[in-house]
Amino acid sequence: MSEPLPSMSLVKRLTQLNLSVMASSMLLVFSLTSILLWFVVRDRQAETAEINLAQLAHNVVPMLVFNDADTASKELELVGINKDVLFVSLRNAKGEVFSEYAKPSFVPSSSLYQQVGTESQREYEGVRMRLYYPVSIKGKLEGDLIMVLDLTGMMYWYLQLVLMLALLIAALFTGSVFLLARVQRQALMPLITLSELAQRVSSEHNFQLRANVIRDDEIGILTRSFNELLKRVDISQAELKQQLEQEQAQGQQLKQMVRTDPLTNLPNRVALNQLLKEITCEGCNPRPLSCLMFIDLDNFKFVNDNYGHDAGDETLIEVGNRISAMIRSDDLLCRLGGDEFALLLPSIESTENAEKLAARIVTIINRPIMVKDTVMPIGISIGLAYTPLDADAPMDLLNCADDAMYAAKRAGKNNFKVFSKQAPV
């Protein structure tokens, strides 16, 4: 049977979708906030510079009126002490430079000296800002001031602020991941429980199981509908079982008595003896390598005594089903009676293949056999014998396999042994 394709759980899928939306929203908010913050910080810097420039205009207007260039130069140099100020120039009403100050690294361009304006102006060029401020006294325009500011320092401060904001958003997002996964799992727990029940019903074929209705919502409606479906299937299964039992009792009773075990529907000792005669006939040439496994359940009497014969019967049926699912169509699995089975492999390539199959049978029977929600504490002992290696006659081959099975029980049970002529009786 092919393995089911791996799929992502509903909780993980919803968590990823919600986190994608959340991450996109946070990224958009972060981007818009960063852009808005830049404009706010830049405009705040410009407003502060304009206030300082207005104070400077008030201080230098007498110097401009009385043509005191030296004092004006000293006043501009005091302003130039600020590390952000690259250039400051005082012009008269004709647009002629009256006094100016420039950092050694700054070279003023001709476009800087535009026409004297009557209103303050603000211009940006990369990480620099240019300010024009009129110098007037009693409403008369006497000139203007030009200032160039370096915004590099402000940009470093802004980048640090943005980095702190990014770290804060990342921390919030990380916390949201765990919180969102937990909340969604709790919200979807009824649906997860219903899915697990459906898988259990599918694997165990137990249609008597029911799901608990936790909430009266869409999932609750789905749960009730699923329970009703299980109820109908359970009824149909019971009716079908009853019908099959009647048909078997009426039309196949004779065939089951002759060649089939009535409990497990496996072939019986009659079918085994017939096939043993066919593979050990003297006229067969060449005679193929065949293997007979004598199988006996361990602790089966304990199951009957403690859980009842019904539980024992279901255990035998389950053992037969599990072994039947592992063998080839040409192999013959028989129930000899009680808790004894026989498995005949009429043609094998090597003894190693048969021993590997015996080991797999021990492993599969060791998996829990649930009967009415109770694990049946059984094991299995297997004896292997080969024809024509160990015996040529059907009864001799059966005795060899039986001896090997008892050797497996003496070795501790729940394993398999191969017949050996040197083994103690």
Side-chain angles (χ1 to χ4, degrees), residues 56-89:
L56 178 61
H58 177 74
N59 294 339
V60 299
V61 65
M63 305 168 193
L64 190 61
V65 172
F66 294 103
N67 198 25
D68 188 356
D70 294 336
T71 304
S73 297
K74 292 178 181 180
E75 190 71 22
L76 297 184
E77 289 177 1
L78 290 175
V79 175
I81 295 176
N82 190 329
K83 64 178 182 179
D84 294 335
V85 177
L86 297 177
F87 174 79
V88 59
S89 176

Side-chain angles (χ1 to χ4, degrees), residues 69-122:
D70 294 336
T71 304
S73 297
K74 292 178 181 180
E75 190 71 22
L76 297 184
E77 289 177 1
L78 290 175
V79 175
I81 295 176
N82 190 329
K83 64 178 182 179
D84 294 335
V85 177
L86 297 177
F87 174 79
V88 59
S89 176
L90 176 62
R91 298 188 299 174
N92 56 27
K94 297 180 180 180
E96 298 172 347
V97 176
F98 181 74
S99 179
E100 69 180 11
Y101 167 82
K103 291 283 177 66
S105 59
F106 182 79
V107 178
S109 61
S110 57
S111 61
L112 187 62
Y113 300 100
Q114 58 178 283
Q115 184 178 359
V116 178
T118 58
E119 297 180 356
S120 60
Q121 300 181 26
R122 184 191 306 172

Side-chain angles (χ1 to χ4, degrees), residues 106-144:
F106 182 79
V107 178
S109 61
S110 57
S111 61
L112 187 62
Y113 300 100
Q114 58 178 283
Q115 184 178 359
V116 178
T118 58
E119 297 180 356
S120 60
Q121 300 181 26
R122 184 191 306 172
E123 297 178 358
Y124 297 98
E125 184 179 21
V127 292
R128 291 180 178 179
M129 178 172 58
R130 292 183 294 184
L131 297 174
Y132 296 89
Y133 195 85
V135 178
S136 60
I137 184 172
K138 296 182 180 181
K140 181 181 179 182
L141 183 65
E142 298 292 341
D144 66 353

